[in-house]
Amino acid sequence: MTDLLAARTQMAMSLGFHIIFAALGIAMPAMIATAEWRWLRKGDRDALALAQRWSKGTAVLFAVGAVSGTVLSFELGLLWPAFMERAGPLIGPLFALEGFAFFTEAIFLGIYVYGWSRISPWMHFVSGLAVAASGIASAWFVVTANAWMNAPIGLGPEGGPSAQFDPLAPLRHPVAWHETGHMLLAAFAATGFLVAGIHAWALLRDPRSGFHRLALMIALAVGGVPALLQPLSGDLIARTVADHQPAKLAAMEALFQTERGADFIVGGIADTETRTVSYAVRIPKGLSLLLHGDPRAEVTGLDRFPREDWPPVTVVHMAFQLMVACGLLMTTVAVWSGWRALRGWRIEDDRRLLYAFILTAPLGFVAIEAGWVVTEVGRQPWIIDHVMRTSEAVTPMPGLWIPMVTFSILYVMLAGVVCWAMWRHIAATAGPLSPASLKEPVS
Amino acid sequence: MGALELFLGASLVGALTFYLLTGGADFGAGVWSLFAFGRNAQKQRALIDHAIGPIWEANHVWLIVAVTILFTAFPPAFAVIATGLHIPLSVMLLGIVLRGTAFAVRTHDITSQTDGSSTTPVIWRYVFAGSSVITPALLGVNLGAVASGRLTEVSSTASFTDRFIAPWLAPFPLSVGILTIVLVAYLAAVYLLVEAHDPDLRTLFTRRAMISCGAVVLAAAVALWQARRGAPEIYAGLRHTVMGPLAVAVAFGLHLGAFVALWNARAWAARWCAVTGAVVMLWGWALSQFPFLVEPHLTISNAAPPPTLHVLALSLLLGSMVLFPLLYYLYRIFKGRVLPGG
Ligand code: HDD
Ligand code: HEM
Ligand code: HEM
């Protein structure tokens, strides 16, 4: 394994690990706050129990999210020092803003998790909202930094910062808006579906539990609406990719030849040697129509780019298909539940739907991982699109497979530990709830 | 060198100072959990969990702020540090991850109680304690290596050892590592003795604070002695300027004061002396290194272009106007009894 590949693998591992906790950290506070709101307004004890259970479990996730994020802040330099040297002045301020979001998040998290019986219920509720808002803000800043890597601005002719660049300009870039919006929807959809799946499983065992019914409703509200919107947001983001990174788009679609009236290719395995896609279903002129609203529009293919500038087509294409497939399945389940709700039927009475929740529970996270593979692998061989190559950025330190293997082992172990810790929480709520475990809020 | 560079350099040291006094002490509390055995072991652990639980994540962010200031304002220094110190920084990160995870898994377990009991496997206690020792040690080693002046852009033809091992695996950085462990343990003991309700624990932590106070003075003397060879520029700064010997003398006086205060059971005075003593040590180092970020090539003039510095300085200023009141609020809720005037 070359050092470059080891560094890329370590980065991918660390980010792929962190994003799970980040997504949960963005959406869980909103769900907890919803439950707490219900307790405050209706005095519903189930809602209070739910808010407390969720927040106790989420506290572990937050801690792991915080430490894995710290690793990332250093890894940017440990693995890609030349990249940080060049990009630091341009995207550093975004990370600084993110730092403040982390601060507010961590402060209010401490207050929220430990403060149930120390501050007034309303202040407590407001702290929960502050945690949720800071999570959203940190996602916004860091995804904007990533959008800058995809569509860099503010660089002068020598590749350094141009004379009058504005470090806040990346925040106004359309690519950043679309990426952030898509990521936030993804976080809510993925978390909502995961939690819905868990409580659907509990409801199958104990169909009359008010606690789990409430949990399911909140999870569906928080996850379902974003799942409906996600394909639309995905279409928007695809159009900006077509404008700014045509090579990435061509790889996503496995479009080897520039074409008028390009087909939309569903599934299939792309072969870069023969430049063909086998076993695919083709929707005639679908791609031109989706991207440009015109079935005869031209779509740039990989043939317009030198071979050494192609991203790994097979991986990017597969990852893209996987994300879209997950997204469509989740949308279907969201529509199904919405339809039942509109008819005035109780969602939890439909056992087939409960099974569907369980089956779709992991899909949002699968889609998040796949989507980031599309974004990041699709940008290769560039670390800053068309400005700096990943191979130019990697640290000169040899033997990078050693930290890569070490961190991989660490993350695999941590993943196991977190699953075990979560399982203890879930298993405890699946049984009868003891009211004695509630922390009494001050009145 | 402009005012912005100066301000941002000071903010960097400022963030490290807050990290040492808050996040560092959280690690120090973990160090003491290594010694929690015997009759009131569970009480000791409960005190430690209780003390750091609500605040450690916020305290930890100071480190992230410091790193962010470094790579935003002084990218060349960050690149040199992150390249040459790849190994000790990676080990420090392992420590950070393990400490945080072990603590969270144990204290947020479904069975965990406020009296410090839970049915999680005991291994988490050891992981927590062990990583609480490793992390500050490596933090100190890294800072020592930065100060040592060996961490320059060694030519890319130099051997692996010269580039990636020698800068930190040397007596001076190691002595700073040891100094950091005892310093954070000392701070933690001084904080914990104020927070303990139980008279037994209070006596215990008073004794520990006194021992670690002595250890700090000793470790600092060793580090200073090692600096003669290991960090000549720093040593010169501490010996041959007016401020240098003054800082050393003041730090020594403050720790002596803390010891006397501990002896006389003046917990508050001890706390103030210990904290200011630690601050003087950190700033004494920073000032003797000034204006270098990485001795002896990169100074704070090797900075990002002005627009970046402007935005960064402004966001630090505005950010802290929001942040400090919020931090105060957090501390007042959980530490109200042990805050000044509380
Ligand atoms: C719940 C998760 C989820 C779901 C259901 C979808 N996506 Fe997605 N997608 C992501 C989660 C995600 C992501 C992981 O969050 C990415 C990676 C970078 C980003 O900002 O969002 C992403 C990136 C991403 C990109 C690449 C953007 C870039 O390279 O800058 C495109 C073109 C799409 N998505 C398109 C879609 C389409 C057409 C979907 C149709 C259903 C879809 N996504 C569903
Ligand atoms: C958390 C969600 C993210 C995931 C799952 C993710 C995933 C990945 C993957 C799979 C790679 C390896 C690509 C390859 O080498 O083929 C990678 C590389 C990288 N990512 Fe991300 N990424 C995420 C977010 C970000 C963000 C927000 C940034 C920056 C602000 C970023 C910066 C980088 C850098 C610097 C590299 C290494 C250079 C490169 O391969 O281009 N990533 N990431
Ligand atoms: C290169 C990429 C990234 C870096 C350097 C990074 C860095 C960090 C750091 C240092 C923390 C810890 C904050 C604390 O102590 O509270 C953190 C947490 C967090 N990060 Fe990231 N992050 C990256 C990618 C992402 C992405 C892509 C997202 C979201 C879309 C994200 C969202 C969050 C959130 C919401 C938290 C809060 C803590 C939690 O929820 O567990 N981060 N990140």
Side-chain angles (χ1 to χ4, degrees):
Chain A
M1 177 179 260
T2 63
D3 281 330
L4 175 60
L5 190 60
R8 286 167 60 187
T9 313
Q10 183 176 338
M11 196 70 198
M13 276 283 299
S14 315
L15 283 157
F17 185 78
H18 178 67
I19 192 65
I20 295 177
F21 300 92
L24 291 164
I26 292 165
M28 280 312 291
M31 289 173 40
I32 300 172
T34 313
E36 192 174 4
W37 169 258
R38 192 179 157 86
W39 144 251
L40 287 172
R41 296 312 304 261
K42 302 240 168 88
D44 178 346
R45 306 273 305 169
D46 273 344
L48 176 63
L50 186 60
Q52 294 194 349
R53 282 300 176 92
W54 272 347
S55 75
K56 191 160 187 180
T58 310
V60 178
L61 303 175
F62 266 110
V64 178
V67 292
S68 60
T70 311
V71 174
L72 283 174
S73 315
F74 281 89
E75 261 176 359
L76 286 174
L78 292 176
L79 299 175
W80 319 103
F83 163 69
M84 283 315 276
E85 196 167 353
R86 192 181 274 188
L90 290 145
I91 55 174
L94 295 171
F95 285 101
L97 293 173
E98 201 200 9
F100 282 103
F102 290 153
F103 244 129
T104 46
E105 171 154 17
I107 290 171
F108 284 108
L109 184 73
I111 296 176
Y112 196 86
V113 172
Y114 288 87
W116 282 100
S117 33
R118 296 215 181 209
I119 50 174
S120 79
W122 281 101
M123 265 322 288
H124 191 262
F125 172 71
V126 170
S127 311
L129 292 185
V131 176
S134 343
I136 291 174
S138 50
W140 177 36
F141 295 130
V142 75
V143 173
T144 299
N146 181 264
W148 178 87
M149 295 163 64
N150 288 330
I153 50 175
L155 289 159
E158 294 97 55
S162 66
Q164 60 286 61
F165 74 98
D166 170 6
L168 296 179
L171 288 168
R172 297 189 292 270
H173 199 287
V175 171
W177 280 104
H178 289 151
E179 243 194 90
T180 309
H182 195 62
M183 177 67 232
L184 288 176
L185 288 175
F188 283 102
T191 307
F193 270 73
L194 182 69
V195 175
I198 293 169
H199 290 281
W201 170 80
L203 275 173
L204 281 173
R205 299 171 43 141
D206 179 10
R208 273 164 313 167
S209 158
F211 175 86
H212 290 297
R213 189 183 306 152
L214 178 65
L216 181 69
M217 289 307 127
I218 294 177
L220 279 182
V222 166
V225 177
L228 291 175
L229 298 175
Q230 194 65 314
L232 299 177
S233 154
D235 182 48
L236 278 179
I237 200 175
R239 287 167 195 231
T240 53
V241 173
D243 290 344
H244 292 273
Q245 295 177 284
K248 182 193 273 182
L249 189 96
M252 280 155 53
E253 288 297 333
L255 186 68
F256 289 101
Q257 250 67 46
T258 304
E259 265 183 296
R260 287 188 174 284
D263 296 347
F264 188 85
I265 303 177
V266 180
I269 296 175
D271 183 341
T272 41
E273 293 307 317
T274 57
R275 306 193 171 192
T276 51
V277 189
S278 26
Y279 314 114
V281 180
R282 287 167 183 275
I283 303 174
K285 310 205 188 310
L287 185 57
S288 295
L289 190 65
L290 269 179
L291 287 179
H292 303 289
D294 169 5
R296 292 188 327 187
E298 182 181 277
V299 183
T300 312
L302 287 162
D303 56 345
R304 292 276 169 86
F305 303 92
R307 181 66 184 82
E308 70 271 17
D309 286 358
W310 287 15
V313 182
T314 320
V315 177
V316 176
H317 178 64
M318 293 243 260
F320 184 61
Q321 305 292 314
L322 182 62
M323 168 172 61
V324 174
C326 292
L328 294 180
L329 282 171
M330 289 163 71
T331 311
T332 312
V333 173
V335 170
W336 181 1
S337 347
W339 174 74
R340 269 192 81 88
L342 284 183
R343 302 290 297 259
W345 296 339
R346 297 198 354 193
I347 289 179
E348 66 275 15
D349 288 349
D350 187 341
R351 289 178 72 85
R352 278 176 314 165
L353 187 50
L354 291 184
Y355 278 112
F357 291 142
I358 298 176
L359 290 177
T360 48
L363 292 192
F365 284 93
V366 174
I368 287 184
E369 299 288 349
W372 278 105
V373 170
V374 173
T375 310
E376 306 290 295
V377 181
R379 190 181 56 243
Q380 303 306 315
W382 306 101
I383 189 167
I384 309 174
D385 200 51
H386 285 90
V387 173
M388 183 182 224
R389 282 177 194 271
T390 313
S391 55
E392 298 167 68
V394 70
T395 176
M397 155 108 177
L400 286 180
W401 65 272
I402 299 175
M404 191 275 285
V405 170
T406 313
F407 276 95
S408 303
I409 294 174
L410 177 75
Y411 282 141
V412 169
M413 268 167 30
L414 281 191
V417 167
V418 171
C419 290
W420 168 81
M422 288 303 113
W423 172 248
R424 285 167 72 90
H425 281 270
I426 295 165
T429 52
L433 289 174
S434 71
S437 69
L438 280 188
K439 293 199 195 70
E440 280 310 315
V442 285
S443 44
Chain B
M1 182 187 325
L4 274 175
E5 283 89 342
L6 211 58
F7 172 73
L8 290 169
S11 309
L12 177 58
V13 184
L16 277 178
T17 310
F18 282 112
Y19 184 58
L20 174 70
L21 296 180
T22 61
D26 295 338
F27 282 103
V31 174
W32 290 120
S33 78
L34 197 62
F35 297 89
F37 39 71
R39 195 165 42 84
N40 52 19
Q42 179 161 327
K43 272 198 290 183
Q44 290 181 39
R45 272 194 298 275
L47 172 67
I48 291 167
D49 294 351
H50 186 77
I52 72 178
I55 51 167
W56 74 267
E57 277 180 80
N59 296 344
H60 176 76
V61 182
W62 285 114
L63 179 64
I64 297 162
V65 171
V67 175
T68 312
I69 297 176
L70 184 63
F71 70 57
T72 308
F74 311 109
F78 181 64
V80 170
I81 293 173
T83 308
L85 297 179
H86 189 112
I87 298 170
L89 284 172
S90 296
V91 179
M92 182 181 93
L93 291 174
L94 293 177
I96 288 178
V97 170
L98 289 175
R99 195 280 302 246
T101 311
F103 185 75
V105 165
R106 193 167 53 80
T107 56
H108 298 302
D109 187 66
I110 192 78
T111 63
S112 62
Q113 304 291 328
T114 45
D115 66 0
S117 67
S118 90
T119 63
T120 42
V122 280
I123 172 135
W124 294 116
R125 285 191 212 150
Y126 301 123
V127 175
F128 172 66
S131 49
S132 295
V133 177
I134 293 171
T135 313
L138 267 297
L139 180 69
V141 168
N142 283 306
L143 293 179
V146 170
S148 72
R150 292 170 170 229
L151 187 74
T152 46
E153 289 145 292
V154 186
S155 83
S156 51
T157 54
S159 73
F160 176 77
T161 323
D162 282 349
R163 292 185 79 191
F164 300 106
I165 307 275
W168 57 275
L169 197 62
F172 176 68
L174 295 182
S175 67
V176 180
I178 292 176
L179 172 61
T180 314
I181 302 180
V182 286
L183 186 61
V184 296
Y186 168 50
L187 289 172
V190 176
Y191 297 169
L192 286 171
L193 85 93
V194 182
E195 292 198 22
H197 290 280
D198 183 302
D200 283 353
L201 290 185
R202 209 173 282 186
T203 327
L204 180 69
F205 278 101
T206 309
R207 204 166 62 228
R208 288 176 170 178
M210 285 159 75
I211 296 171
S212 47
C213 177
V216 166
V217 173
L218 198 68
V222 172
L224 195 61
W225 180 63
Q226 286 297 341
R228 255 160 39 127
R229 292 266 189 82
E233 289 86 356
I234 304 288
Y235 186 75
L238 288 176
R239 270 299 293 279
H240 306 302
T241 60
V242 186
M243 291 297 285
L246 196 68
V248 175
V250 170
F252 180 72
L254 284 165
H255 290 309
L256 200 67
F259 193 86
V260 173
L262 287 165
W263 187 268
N264 293 315
R266 304 282 293 271
W268 268 106
R271 213 180 210 202
W272 279 116
C273 289
V275 166
T276 33
V279 173
V280 171
M281 284 164 74
L282 189 69
W283 281 83
W285 160 57
L287 289 178
S288 58
Q289 179 160 338
F290 178 82
F292 290 97
L293 277 169
V294 184
E295 296 267 10
H297 279 319
L298 293 169
T299 69
I300 59 174
S301 314
N302 298 91
T308 306
L309 301 183
H310 270 124
V311 172
L312 182 63
L314 208 66
S315 45
L316 287 175
L317 279 175
L318 294 179
S320 31
M321 273 152 65
V322 182
L323 203 66
F324 282 111
L326 289 180
L327 278 172
Y328 179 72
Y329 180 57
L330 173 74
Y331 273 75
R332 216 196 54 202
I333 294 177
F334 296 103
K335 308 268 157 191
R337 198 175 59 82
V338 290
L339 277 185

PDB file of all heavy atoms in Angstrom, chain B residues 118-133:
ATOM      1  N   SER B 118     -21.734   1.782  38.776  1.00  0.00           N
ATOM      2  CA  SER B 118     -22.399   1.353  37.561  1.00  0.00           C
ATOM      3  C   SER B 118     -21.928  -0.065  37.309  1.00  0.00           C
ATOM      4  O   SER B 118     -20.932  -0.514  37.881  1.00  0.00           O
ATOM      5  CB  SER B 118     -22.061   2.256  36.380  1.00  0.00           C
ATOM      6  OG  SER B 118     -20.932   1.784  35.694  1.00  0.00           O
ATOM      7  N   THR B 119     -22.677  -0.774  36.456  1.00  0.00           N
ATOM      8  CA  THR B 119     -22.296  -2.164  36.244  1.00  0.00           C
ATOM      9  C   THR B 119     -21.454  -2.335  34.983  1.00  0.00           C
ATOM     10  O   THR B 119     -21.304  -3.436  34.489  1.00  0.00           O
ATOM     11  CB  THR B 119     -23.548  -3.057  36.133  1.00  0.00           C
ATOM     12  OG1 THR B 119     -24.274  -2.618  34.979  1.00  0.00           O
ATOM     13  CG2 THR B 119     -24.393  -2.969  37.356  1.00  0.00           C
ATOM     14  N   THR B 120     -20.901  -1.227  34.466  1.00  0.00           N
ATOM     15  CA  THR B 120     -20.037  -1.374  33.301  1.00  0.00           C
ATOM     16  C   THR B 120     -18.742  -2.076  33.730  1.00  0.00           C
ATOM     17  O   THR B 120     -18.300  -1.934  34.872  1.00  0.00           O
ATOM     18  CB  THR B 120     -19.671  -0.018  32.709  1.00  0.00           C
ATOM     19  OG1 THR B 120     -19.379   0.879  33.772  1.00  0.00           O
ATOM     20  CG2 THR B 120     -20.801   0.545  31.889  1.00  0.00           C
ATOM     21  N   PRO B 121     -18.135  -2.812  32.796  1.00  0.00           N
ATOM     22  CA  PRO B 121     -16.890  -3.521  33.136  1.00  0.00           C
ATOM     23  C   PRO B 121     -15.838  -2.569  33.675  1.00  0.00           C
ATOM     24  O   PRO B 121     -15.744  -1.420  33.220  1.00  0.00           O
ATOM     25  CB  PRO B 121     -16.444  -4.110  31.795  1.00  0.00           C
ATOM     26  CG  PRO B 121     -17.645  -4.120  30.939  1.00  0.00           C
ATOM     27  CD  PRO B 121     -18.542  -3.039  31.409  1.00  0.00           C
ATOM     28  N   VAL B 122     -15.034  -3.039  34.618  1.00  0.00           N
ATOM     29  CA  VAL B 122     -14.051  -2.157  35.263  1.00  0.00           C
ATOM     30  C   VAL B 122     -12.978  -1.681  34.295  1.00  0.00           C
ATOM     31  O   VAL B 122     -12.307  -0.686  34.552  1.00  0.00           O
ATOM     32  CB  VAL B 122     -13.340  -2.817  36.455  1.00  0.00           C
ATOM     33  CG1 VAL B 122     -14.206  -2.777  37.662  1.00  0.00           C
ATOM     34  CG2 VAL B 122     -12.903  -4.212  36.103  1.00  0.00           C
ATOM     35  N   ILE B 123     -12.828  -2.390  33.186  1.00  0.00           N
ATOM     36  CA  ILE B 123     -11.764  -1.997  32.258  1.00  0.00           C
ATOM     37  C   ILE B 123     -11.873  -0.520  31.890  1.00  0.00           C
ATOM     38  O   ILE B 123     -10.866   0.162  31.707  1.00  0.00           O
ATOM     39  CB  ILE B 123     -11.796  -2.862  30.983  1.00  0.00           C
ATOM     40  CG1 ILE B 123     -10.825  -2.321  29.937  1.00  0.00           C
ATOM     41  CG2 ILE B 123     -13.146  -2.892  30.336  1.00  0.00           C
ATOM     42  CD1 ILE B 123     -10.010  -3.353  29.295  1.00  0.00           C
ATOM     43  N   TRP B 124     -13.103   0.008  31.861  1.00  0.00           N
ATOM     44  CA  TRP B 124     -13.260   1.409  31.468  1.00  0.00           C
ATOM     45  C   TRP B 124     -12.587   2.348  32.449  1.00  0.00           C
ATOM     46  O   TRP B 124     -12.100   3.402  32.083  1.00  0.00           O
ATOM     47  CB  TRP B 124     -14.739   1.772  31.311  1.00  0.00           C
ATOM     48  CG  TRP B 124     -15.309   1.023  30.167  1.00  0.00           C
ATOM     49  CD1 TRP B 124     -16.286   0.085  30.194  1.00  0.00           C
ATOM     50  CD2 TRP B 124     -14.877   1.115  28.801  1.00  0.00           C
ATOM     51  NE1 TRP B 124     -16.489  -0.427  28.948  1.00  0.00           N
ATOM     52  CE2 TRP B 124     -15.643   0.197  28.070  1.00  0.00           C
ATOM     53  CE3 TRP B 124     -13.920   1.868  28.131  1.00  0.00           C
ATOM     54  CZ2 TRP B 124     -15.487   0.019  26.700  1.00  0.00           C
ATOM     55  CZ3 TRP B 124     -13.755   1.697  26.776  1.00  0.00           C
ATOM     56  CH2 TRP B 124     -14.536   0.784  26.075  1.00  0.00           C
ATOM     57  N   ARG B 125     -12.569   1.937  33.717  1.00  0.00           N
ATOM     58  CA  ARG B 125     -11.868   2.775  34.698  1.00  0.00           C
ATOM     59  C   ARG B 125     -10.394   2.852  34.357  1.00  0.00           C
ATOM     60  O   ARG B 125      -9.787   3.910  34.428  1.00  0.00           O
ATOM     61  CB  ARG B 125     -11.974   2.133  36.066  1.00  0.00           C
ATOM     62  CG  ARG B 125     -13.308   2.282  36.689  1.00  0.00           C
ATOM     63  CD  ARG B 125     -13.160   1.832  38.127  1.00  0.00           C
ATOM     64  NE  ARG B 125     -14.388   1.242  38.585  1.00  0.00           N
ATOM     65  CZ  ARG B 125     -14.464   0.290  39.490  1.00  0.00           C
ATOM     66  NH1 ARG B 125     -13.366  -0.204  40.020  1.00  0.00           N
ATOM     67  NH2 ARG B 125     -15.612  -0.160  39.876  1.00  0.00           N
ATOM     68  N   TYR B 126      -9.827   1.690  33.992  1.00  0.00           N
ATOM     69  CA  TYR B 126      -8.394   1.685  33.717  1.00  0.00           C
ATOM     70  C   TYR B 126      -8.084   2.436  32.443  1.00  0.00           C
ATOM     71  O   TYR B 126      -7.097   3.166  32.359  1.00  0.00           O
ATOM     72  CB  TYR B 126      -7.874   0.243  33.663  1.00  0.00           C
ATOM     73  CG  TYR B 126      -8.127  -0.487  34.946  1.00  0.00           C
ATOM     74  CD1 TYR B 126      -8.848  -1.666  34.980  1.00  0.00           C
ATOM     75  CD2 TYR B 126      -7.671   0.048  36.150  1.00  0.00           C
ATOM     76  CE1 TYR B 126      -9.107  -2.314  36.169  1.00  0.00           C
ATOM     77  CE2 TYR B 126      -7.924  -0.590  37.349  1.00  0.00           C
ATOM     78  CZ  TYR B 126      -8.642  -1.777  37.355  1.00  0.00           C
ATOM     79  OH  TYR B 126      -8.897  -2.401  38.535  1.00  0.00           O
ATOM     80  N   VAL B 127      -8.952   2.250  31.448  1.00  0.00           N
ATOM     81  CA  VAL B 127      -8.733   2.984  30.196  1.00  0.00           C
ATOM     82  C   VAL B 127      -8.787   4.479  30.475  1.00  0.00           C
ATOM     83  O   VAL B 127      -7.945   5.260  30.015  1.00  0.00           O
ATOM     84  CB  VAL B 127      -9.784   2.584  29.146  1.00  0.00           C
ATOM     85  CG1 VAL B 127      -9.623   3.434  27.893  1.00  0.00           C
ATOM     86  CG2 VAL B 127      -9.646   1.118  28.790  1.00  0.00           C
ATOM     87  N   PHE B 128      -9.778   4.873  31.253  1.00  0.00           N
ATOM     88  CA  PHE B 128      -9.919   6.300  31.578  1.00  0.00           C
ATOM     89  C   PHE B 128      -8.677   6.808  32.295  1.00  0.00           C
ATOM     90  O   PHE B 128      -8.091   7.826  31.916  1.00  0.00           O
ATOM     91  CB  PHE B 128     -11.173   6.488  32.444  1.00  0.00           C
ATOM     92  CG  PHE B 128     -11.329   7.865  33.002  1.00  0.00           C
ATOM     93  CD1 PHE B 128     -11.564   8.947  32.162  1.00  0.00           C
ATOM     94  CD2 PHE B 128     -11.244   8.094  34.369  1.00  0.00           C
ATOM     95  CE1 PHE B 128     -11.702  10.226  32.672  1.00  0.00           C
ATOM     96  CE2 PHE B 128     -11.387   9.363  34.888  1.00  0.00           C
ATOM     97  CZ  PHE B 128     -11.619  10.433  34.033  1.00  0.00           C
ATOM     98  N   ALA B 129      -8.249   6.086  33.315  1.00  0.00           N
ATOM     99  CA  ALA B 129      -7.099   6.556  34.088  1.00  0.00           C
ATOM    100  C   ALA B 129      -5.838   6.560  33.240  1.00  0.00           C
ATOM    101  O   ALA B 129      -5.083   7.541  33.218  1.00  0.00           O
ATOM    102  CB  ALA B 129      -6.922   5.668  35.324  1.00  0.00           C
ATOM    103  N   GLY B 130      -5.626   5.476  32.496  1.00  0.00           N
ATOM    104  CA  GLY B 130      -4.407   5.369  31.699  1.00  0.00           C
ATOM    105  C   GLY B 130      -4.336   6.460  30.638  1.00  0.00           C
ATOM    106  O   GLY B 130      -3.304   7.128  30.471  1.00  0.00           O
ATOM    107  N   SER B 131      -5.447   6.670  29.936  1.00  0.00           N
ATOM    108  CA  SER B 131      -5.394   7.683  28.867  1.00  0.00           C
ATOM    109  C   SER B 131      -5.303   9.079  29.464  1.00  0.00           C
ATOM    110  O   SER B 131      -4.817  10.003  28.803  1.00  0.00           O
ATOM    111  CB  SER B 131      -6.602   7.548  27.945  1.00  0.00           C
ATOM    112  OG  SER B 131      -7.778   7.468  28.691  1.00  0.00           O
ATOM    113  N   SER B 132      -5.752   9.247  30.702  1.00  0.00           N
ATOM    114  CA  SER B 132      -5.604  10.555  31.351  1.00  0.00           C
ATOM    115  C   SER B 132      -4.155  10.854  31.687  1.00  0.00           C
ATOM    116  O   SER B 132      -3.798  12.001  31.922  1.00  0.00           O
ATOM    117  CB  SER B 132      -6.430  10.630  32.636  1.00  0.00           C
ATOM    118  OG  SER B 132      -7.791  10.538  32.350  1.00  0.00           O
ATOM    119  N   VAL B 133      -3.321   9.816  31.757  1.00  0.00           N
ATOM    120  CA  VAL B 133      -1.896  10.048  31.987  1.00  0.00           C
ATOM    121  C   VAL B 133      -1.190  10.283  30.654  1.00  0.00           C
ATOM    122  O   VAL B 133      -0.384  11.207  30.505  1.00  0.00           O
ATOM    123  CB  VAL B 133      -1.253   8.843  32.715  1.00  0.00           C
ATOM    124  CG1 VAL B 133       0.235   9.059  32.887  1.00  0.00           C
ATOM    125  CG2 VAL B 133      -1.935   8.628  34.056  1.00  0.00           C
TER     126      VAL B 133
END
